[in-house]
Amino acid sequence: EAKALVNIGAMYGVNHEYSSALEIFQESLDIFINLNNNLWAGYSYSNIAECYYYKGNYKQALENNSKAIDIFIKLKAINNILMSYNNQVKNNYNLENYNEVLKISDKAISEIEETGRYTGFLIELNIYKYLSNIKLFGTSNIDRVTEHLSYGTIFYDSYYYLYKIYNNIAYLDS
């Protein structure tokens, strides 16, 4: 029943009905907690965090994502940890907590390098890291962003992120 609720919540999310999705994900979370199913409770916290992210409530997203991270660390669910760190970076970036972006990015990047799990998260984490450096220290770091993108596109087709970076740089330079 709880996994079916997750699917229903996901459908609400796909349709941008985040308030309805939140209710469903909260209901599934309560069931998973009662069943002592920690992995799926972690997924539910992640889903709740994503809904808050898309609603623009980044503080609530951070709070729920932190709960997911705690669970995933206990379970040693590396891919879920990396995904959650990536989400923490995005939320902190939107809250303009650039120092926190740098701290979490470095932690996640170290984890990626230690485990050898090179995913698209590596590219996105580095992009947010360098965008935060630009916000904190100015456009003098632009060469580092461009250099990383050249390297990163080998692993991941990041046209979306190229667009995002160049828009941020154009904004900073204006």
Side-chain angles (χ1 to χ4, degrees):
E1 178 187 347
K3 288 181 184 177
L5 287 173
V6 170
N7 290 332
I8 293 168
M11 292 308 300
Y12 279 120
V14 166
N15 290 312
H16 309 285
E17 297 176 38
Y18 302 115
S19 295
S20 297
L22 274 169
E23 288 178 32
I24 298 293
F25 289 139
Q26 185 61 55
E27 190 176 338
S28 72
L29 173 63
D30 294 340
I31 293 169
F32 290 129
I33 288 173
N34 286 333
L35 294 173
N36 203 25
N37 188 329
N38 292 329
L39 181 62
W40 278 87
Y43 293 153
S44 293
Y45 279 122
S46 290
N47 289 333
I48 291 167
E50 282 291 299
C51 288
Y52 281 122
Y53 172 82
Y54 286 113
K55 288 179 70 138
N57 189 338
Y58 306 117
K59 287 182 181 180
Q60 282 292 104
L62 282 170
E63 182 181 313
N64 283 280
N65 205 35
S66 292
K67 292 175 184 177
I69 289 172
D70 290 343
I71 290 170
F72 295 143
I73 287 173
K74 287 177 188 168
L75 296 173
K76 297 181 174 136
I78 300 299
N79 287 335
N80 299 102
I81 294 167
L82 295 175
M83 177 188 65
S84 297
Y85 282 155
N86 191 58
N87 292 337
Q88 290 295 76
V89 164
K90 290 189 295 189
N91 285 300
N92 276 296
Y93 185 83
N94 283 303
L95 289 169
E96 299 180 4
N97 297 333
Y98 304 121
N99 286 316
E100 195 65 19
V101 168
L102 297 176
K103 182 177 128 187
I104 296 168
S105 293
D106 285 342
K107 185 176 184 176
I109 291 165
S110 291
E111 185 79 28
I112 289 169
E113 289 170 350
E114 286 175 25
T115 62
R117 302 214 180 178
Y118 292 95
T119 67
F121 295 135
L122 177 63
I123 306 307
E124 189 170 0
L125 286 164
N126 272 300
I127 289 169
Y128 277 108
K129 179 179 173 181
Y130 292 126
L131 286 175
S132 294
N133 271 316
I134 290 169
K135 296 277 189 173
L136 287 169
F137 305 112
T139 56
S140 60
N141 286 323
I142 192 61
D143 292 339
R144 292 174 65 196
V145 177
T146 309
E147 176 186 317
H148 180 75
L149 262 181
S150 299
Y151 169 75
T153 51
I154 294 168
F155 293 107
Y156 189 70
D157 182 15
S158 55
Y159 291 113
Y160 167 75
Y161 299 110
L162 265 171
Y163 169 81
K164 192 172 192 171
I165 283 177
Y166 289 123
N167 278 339
N168 272 286
I169 291 166
Y171 174 77
L172 289 169
D173 286 339
S174 59

